[in-house]
Amino acid sequence: MLVFFCIVISTLLCIPMLMRYWIKQRSKNLLPHLRKKGEITVGFFHPYCNAGGGGERVLWTAIRALQTRYPRIQCIVYTGDTEATGSDIIQRAKQRFNISITSPVQFVFLTKRYLVEAQKYPYFTLLGQSLGSMLLGWEALMKYVPDVYIDSMGYAFTLPLFKYLGGCKTVSYVHYPTISTDMLQRVSDRTQSHNNSSFISRSATLSWAKSHYYKMFACLYGIMGRRSDKVMVNSTWTFNHIQRLWKVADRTYIIYPPCDISEFTKIPLTNCHVQKTIVSIAQFRPEKDHGLQIRSFSNFLKSHTKDKQIYKLLLVGSCRNEGDSTRVKELRDLCTLLNIEDNVEFKLNVSFEELKDLMSTSLIGIHTMWNEHFGIGVVELMAAGTIILAHNSGGPKLDIVTDYNHQKTGYLAADEDSYAAAMETIFNLKDEERLVIRQNARLSVERFSEGEFERGFLMVCESFLVKNL
C-alpha cells in the first residue's frame, strides 16, 4: 500500500512537469519567426486591445517603451478582436492615442473571448468571468508561449497557467482589483449599489450568502494574484486593496497610467470667456453617478433663485448602447423633476475639438464616482484649467487632488450637501485665487505623463529583460 501511495504521489507531481515539457516542445513549432537567437518574447494578454480606452493606452505605451529601449525584443498581443487585422489595430492605436508602433507586433487571435464577457454570467459573474479567463488563457498558451507574460487587463486567473505550465516570468498591471474590500463591506452592510441589487441588500439571508461567496472569491483571487513575479498598480487606492488581497508588498509598484494632456495644457488659463458653468466628462455608466451631480447642482441652485439662469451644468459623455441611452433619459427626467432642465445640458458623443471648447469655457470640472481606481478624466479636467471638484475617495483623493508645492489643486466632496457647498465656495473665489489653484493643478498633473509611465514600467520589467538579452 505504501509503495502504491508513493507511486500515485510521484505521478501527480510529475504531471505538471510533463505538461510544461510538452507545451514547451510544442511551442517551438509555433510562430518560428519569433524564435531568433538572442531574442526574447514578451506576451501581453489583452483580449480587448482594440477598445480604445485607458487600458489600451497603457498597453500601447508599454509596447512602444519596450521596443524603443530593447529593439531585439519581440512583442506579442493575445487579443479577441478577430474582426480586425493587426494593421487595423495598430492604425487605431495611432488615431486614438497618437502612439506610433514602428516595430512589428505579433497578434495572436483568440476565438473564445465570449467566455470573459459579463452578460454570459447573470449570476456569480465574478467567478464565471474568472474561470472563463482561464479557458481563454489556455487557448492563448496553446497558440504561443512567451518568455515573459504580462497580464495588462486584470485577468489574474491566467497567471498560474503561464507561470507553471508555460514556465514564463509573469507580470501584472492592475487597473482595478476584480474584487475589493469595499465591495465586501457594502454587501456586509447591506448597502444597495450598482453591483449589489436591492433584492439582495433587503434580504439578510441573501446578503449573508453573497458575503461568503465574495470572501471565497477574494481568497481565490489572492492565490492567483500571488503567482505574479512583479505587480504594477495604477494608484494608491489600487495598491492598498491589492496588498490586502495579494499580500505581495515586496514586489508591488505604483506606476501611474499614461495621460496625454498635451492638448489640454494648450488651453490658456487666462481665458476671458470662462462662464459660470460646471462640466462633467464621463461615460453614462451607473458607477459614474451622474444623479449625484444633478441633485448637488439642484441643491446649489436653491440659494440662487434670483440669478439661477446664469449657472449651467454640462454633462458630456458617450452613449455606447441602449443601456446608456436609457440612463440619459432617466437623468433628463430627474432634471425635469427637480425643475432645473433649463440649467442642465447633455452633450453626447462630442468631437475632441468640441470637448476642448467646453472645457475651456467652464469654471468647474465635476467628478462623482465613488472609489474610482485612478481618474484619467480628473487629470484631463485639471490640465484643461477647470477647478476640479472630485469625489473624496479612491484615486482622486489619494493621488490626484492632493496638495502640490504645499498649495491646493482642487476640491473634494462626498454627498449632495458637500458638493453644493464646494460649488458655492469655488464660484465665490476671486479671479486671482482661482488662477493660483488652476496653475498649481496644471503643474501637478505633469507627474502623470507618458514619459513618467514609460520610466516606471521599464524599471519594473528590466530585471527580466536584461538577464535574457
Side-chain angles (χ1 to χ4, degrees):
M1 180 63 73
L2 181 60
V3 173
F4 175 76
F5 181 75
C6 291
I7 292 173
V8 170
I9 295 297
S10 300
T11 303
L12 291 174
L13 291 173
C14 287
I15 287 174
M17 292 186 288
L18 291 172
M19 286 190 69
R20 179 189 290 192
Y21 176 78
W22 173 70
I23 290 170
K24 282 283 190 183
Q25 291 300 115
R26 184 178 180 276
S27 181
K28 290 180 180 179
N29 300 318
L30 301 173
L31 307 179
H33 60 286
L34 297 180
R35 293 294 179 187
K36 297 177 183 177
K37 187 176 180 180
E39 294 186 352
I40 68 169
T41 53
V42 178
F44 290 84
F45 190 76
H46 208 104
Y48 295 88
C49 75
N50 205 30
E56 287 65 61
R57 180 183 288 282
V58 167
L59 170 69
W60 298 116
T61 306
I63 288 176
R64 183 182 61 187
L66 284 175
Q67 291 181 336
T68 302
R69 173 72 70 86
Y70 305 106
R72 293 168 61 192
I73 277 180
Q74 299 282 349
C75 290
I76 301 148
V77 177
Y78 299 98
T79 178
D81 294 301
T82 54
E83 74 287 349
T85 65
S87 58
D88 291 338
I89 295 171
I90 294 294
Q91 184 60 30
R92 177 165 168 74
K94 170 65 176 174
Q95 292 172 344
R96 176 68 179 84
F97 306 119
N98 195 30
I99 295 175
S100 296
I101 304 297
T102 54
S103 299
V105 173
Q106 176 71 51
F107 290 91
V108 175
F109 290 95
L110 308 175
T111 61
K112 295 180 174 61
R113 190 175 70 181
Y114 63 87
L115 292 171
V116 298
E117 293 175 356
Q119 60 265 30
K120 187 172 177 62
Y121 310 99
Y123 304 102
F124 300 100
T125 308
L126 295 180
L127 184 60
Q129 285 182 289
S130 297
L131 295 178
S133 74
M134 294 184 78
L135 296 175
L136 188 63
W138 176 258
E139 181 188 359
L141 190 66
M142 288 296 96
K143 290 188 173 180
Y144 190 77
V145 181
D147 297 303
V148 179
Y149 171 77
I150 300 179
D151 166 34
S152 51
M153 270 202 80
Y155 292 106
F157 279 63
T158 64
L159 292 166
L161 293 174
F162 283 84
K163 184 179 182 68
Y164 296 125
L165 299 183
C168 309
K169 292 295 185 181
T170 52
V171 181
S172 299
Y173 188 93
V174 183
H175 299 271
Y176 197 91
T178 303
I179 190 168
S180 68
T181 50
D182 294 319
M183 290 168 64
L184 287 164
Q185 191 62 49
R186 282 200 162 190
V187 174
S188 298
D189 295 343
R190 297 174 61 186
T191 303
Q192 182 183 348
S193 64
H194 70 275
N195 55 10
N196 192 37
S197 302
S198 58
F199 82 90
I200 292 178
S201 62
R202 288 196 300 263
S203 168
T205 302
L206 291 177
S207 293
W208 177 88
K210 186 170 183 178
S211 176
H212 281 74
Y213 157 58
Y214 269 10
K215 289 175 181 176
M216 178 206 71
F217 181 82
C219 181
L220 281 175
Y221 181 59
I223 291 169
M224 299 300 177
R226 285 191 286 276
R227 303 316 108 189
S228 190
D229 296 310
K230 297 280 187 180
V231 181
M232 288 176 270
V233 297
N234 67 344
S235 68
T236 301
W237 183 88
T238 306
F239 178 88
N240 291 339
H241 284 274
I242 287 296
Q243 284 310 102
R244 295 188 192 110
L245 294 162
W246 291 13
K247 298 178 175 63
V248 287
D250 58 320
R251 55 181 189 271
T252 304
Y253 308 83
I254 298 176
I255 308 295
Y256 295 125
C259 304
D260 185 6
I261 57 174
S262 57
E263 287 299 314
F264 298 115
T265 56
K266 293 177 183 177
I267 298 173
L269 293 178
T270 54
N271 189 352
C272 60
H273 301 294
V274 172
Q275 303 164 5
K276 290 187 180 294
T277 299
I278 303 170
V279 63
S280 164
I281 312 292
Q283 291 180 331
F284 290 99
R285 304 204 309 261
E287 63 269 24
K288 297 299 183 181
D289 204 353
H290 289 86
L292 176 57
Q293 299 176 10
I294 293 170
R295 293 189 299 273
S296 302
F297 185 54
S298 175
N299 278 6
F300 165 76
L301 290 177
K302 287 176 182 176
S303 60
H304 290 271
T305 53
K306 292 183 178 179
D307 58 349
K308 176 181 175 180
Q309 71 281 357
I310 70 172
Y311 295 99
K312 294 286 184 184
L313 171 63
L314 306 180
L315 301 181
V316 185
S318 59
C319 266
R320 306 162 298 165
N321 50 42
E322 187 178 344
D324 287 356
S325 299
T326 300
R327 276 185 285 276
V328 169
K329 182 183 182 304
E330 292 170 350
L331 292 170
R332 290 184 189 275
D333 292 342
L334 177 61
C335 294
T336 302
L337 179 67
L338 296 173
N339 195 30
I340 59 171
E341 65 271 22
D342 293 334
N343 298 85
V344 181
E345 296 180 18
F346 290 80
K347 302 287 186 179
L348 309 180
N349 303 318
V350 303
S351 67
F352 184 67
E353 288 305 314
E354 186 178 355
L355 173 65
K356 287 199 299 180
D357 287 341
L358 294 171
M359 288 172 141
S360 68
T361 56
S362 298
L363 181 60
I364 298 175
I366 192 168
H367 160 277
T368 47
M369 179 177 170
W370 173 76
N371 266 348
E372 178 146 26
H373 50 292
F374 180 66
I376 289 177
V378 174
V379 172
E380 292 174 343
L381 284 165
M382 293 168 71
T386 67
I387 294 184
I388 193 67
L389 172 54
H391 200 282
N392 191 22
S393 64
K397 174 185 179 180
L398 297 173
D399 293 306
I400 304 174
V401 192
T402 58
D403 285 356
Y404 185 75
N405 290 333
H406 307 291
Q407 292 182 306
K408 183 181 286 291
T409 59
Y411 292 80
L412 296 168
D415 53 28
E416 295 170 24
D417 290 338
S418 57
Y419 269 100
M423 292 174 190
E424 187 73 41
T425 298
I426 296 169
F427 280 126
N428 287 335
L429 290 173
K430 296 177 182 178
D431 289 343
E432 314 86 73
E433 293 174 321
R434 291 191 198 121
L435 183 59
V436 169
I437 295 173
R438 295 163 73 199
Q439 288 174 331
N440 199 47
R442 179 172 284 183
L443 286 173
S444 74
V445 296
E446 292 295 334
R447 60 208 157 115
F448 307 122
S449 67
E450 290 185 349
E452 287 298 316
F453 169 81
E454 289 178 0
R455 280 188 283 275
F457 179 83
L458 290 171
M459 175 205 61
V460 173
C461 296
E462 190 174 36
S463 61
F464 294 153
L465 304 176
V466 171
K467 290 178 183 177
N468 290 279
L469 285 173

